[in-house]
Amino acid sequence: MNTESPLPARKKRFPFGIVLSVLALVTAYVLLVNAGRNLEYKKVKAVHQEFLALKQQKASNAEWEAFKQSVHIRIDPVIKKLEATAGSDFPMETQLYWATRDYLYPMLDNARVEKSREQEKFEKNLEEAERLINKQP
């Protein structure tokens, strides 16, 4: 009795398709995780950039008021979240919490034309948060 198959033996090949699929999934996961990381910092930094742009273009009172309303809508939830997470175990969140809670809104009122004490303090806390994110000494 002949047990050999008339078909040629199939060669085992390296599963490039499977490896490529796994690599694509891992890359997508890492990108998604990093996109959600430091989200509060990114929101606060974006508000600061908008503030500086408005200041540079010498925005009108109406533009400032609209911006302040927009900031309240975007940043008030961030402040609540930071209030819950800030502490000695999370120094970056603490710096952001101080910047937003203590200095952001006074800065929007007092630093439209020239740099105020509140703007300096806000920017100092923001820089410290960025340093902590990047883990620089």
Side-chain angles (χ1 to χ4, degrees):
M1 189 180 237
N2 189 2
T3 59
E4 291 183 28
S5 171
L7 299 173
R10 186 170 170 188
K11 293 182 180 180
K12 292 184 180 181
R13 295 190 296 166
F14 191 75
F16 286 108
I18 293 172
V19 171
L20 189 59
S21 297
V22 169
L23 186 59
L25 288 172
V26 168
T27 302
Y29 175 76
V30 168
L31 290 175
L32 286 173
V33 167
N34 282 337
R37 200 169 276 185
N38 304 319
L39 194 56
E40 290 81 18
Y41 170 79
K42 291 174 185 175
K43 288 179 181 179
V44 174
K45 184 71 174 177
V47 164
H48 183 241
Q49 294 300 321
E50 291 174 50
F51 165 79
L52 293 175
L54 281 174
K55 189 173 175 176
Q56 185 173 358
Q57 69 188 29
K58 296 179 170 76
S60 69
N61 284 339
E63 290 172 308
W64 278 111
E65 288 305 315
F67 176 64
K68 282 173 51 176
Q69 291 300 318
S70 141
V71 169
H72 274 286
I73 291 167
R74 293 182 288 164
I75 298 299
D76 285 353
V78 171
I79 294 172
K80 283 209 176 289
K81 184 173 182 186
L82 289 170
E83 183 177 25
T85 60
S88 60
D89 290 338
F90 302 101
M92 188 276 294
E93 287 85 350
T94 303
Q95 292 294 325
L96 281 180
Y97 180 57
W98 292 339
T100 53
R101 179 197 66 185
D102 299 339
Y103 305 116
L104 176 62
Y105 296 124
M107 177 184 79
L108 295 180
D109 290 330
N110 302 331
R112 292 181 180 184
V113 177
E114 59 186 44
K115 200 169 202 173
S116 68
R117 177 185 170 277
E118 289 84 8
Q119 182 179 355
E120 289 175 4
K121 294 282 198 171
F122 175 85
E123 290 173 348
K124 182 180 178 191
N125 288 129
L126 197 59
E127 287 171 8
E128 182 63 16
E130 185 173 1
R131 186 192 67 76
L132 290 165
I133 289 169
N134 297 326
K135 293 188 177 28
Q136 298 170 349

